[in-house]
Amino acid sequence: PGLIGWWPQRAVTFVDNHDTGSTQAHWPFPSDRVAQGYAYILSHPGMPCVAFDHYFDWGSKLQGEINTLMQVRRDAGIVAKSKLEILCAEDDMYVGRITGTKGSLMLKLGPRYDMGSLVPDAKAGWTKAAKGK
């Protein structure tokens, strides 16, 4: 399960940092997937770290998406040791439900549109908080 599975309160998660991407570009995260990377780390257990370059240099669109995701995390009370339930992990779709101190959130990543029975029920109070590519 990795560090998140064994000791989430000690896991610092990141999309890129000064050693991997940034201005050095040694092993950069795919630029067309950066927002998805932030959707994952900001919705999941662990201690997410936002790269300075992504937040301040990549433009207001990505900064706004990151701001929204940070607010969703705060609203649900997601912390380093929040409970994660992986509902689907397939080639074209990932769905996880994360339970925080104030509520729960679900994250869906991948190109598959049909979530089948995994679609959150609006009657149960689920609302869409963010979307993107």
Side-chain angles (χ1 to χ4, degrees):
L3 187 58
I4 289 285
W6 288 103
W7 205 0
Q9 54 270 47
R10 296 281 187 223
V12 176
T13 56
F14 58 89
V15 173
D16 261 337
N17 66 29
H18 63 277
D19 291 323
T20 60
S22 186
T23 54
Q24 293 191 54
H26 290 303
W27 308 277
F29 197 84
S31 61
D32 63 331
R33 300 282 189 245
V34 167
Q36 286 183 21
Y38 282 112
Y40 183 86
I41 69 167
L42 290 169
S43 65
H44 278 58
M47 294 178 282
C49 182
V50 175
F52 181 94
D53 291 3
H54 290 161
Y55 194 77
F56 291 105
D57 298 340
W58 280 45
S60 60
K61 183 176 186 296
L62 181 60
Q63 187 179 62
E65 291 170 339
I66 292 171
N67 285 339
T68 297
L69 294 165
M70 288 191 294
Q71 188 61 53
V72 169
R73 182 180 179 92
R74 280 191 296 271
D75 290 347
I78 304 300
V79 295
K81 58 184 181 177
S82 290
K83 180 184 175 197
L84 166 63
E85 181 182 1
I86 298 173
L87 304 175
C88 179
E90 297 176 4
D91 289 344
D92 60 348
M93 185 169 74
Y94 170 87
V95 179
R97 180 181 6 227
I98 304 88
T99 304
T101 59
K102 301 178 197 172
S104 295
L105 65 82
M106 285 182 71
L107 174 72
K108 186 264 185 197
L109 294 173
R112 188 190 314 170
Y113 181 77
D114 183 11
M115 291 177 63
S117 64
L118 297 176
V119 175
D121 188 357
K123 293 177 185 173
W126 288 97
T127 60
K128 187 182 296 185
K131 69 176 187 171
K133 290 185 175 185

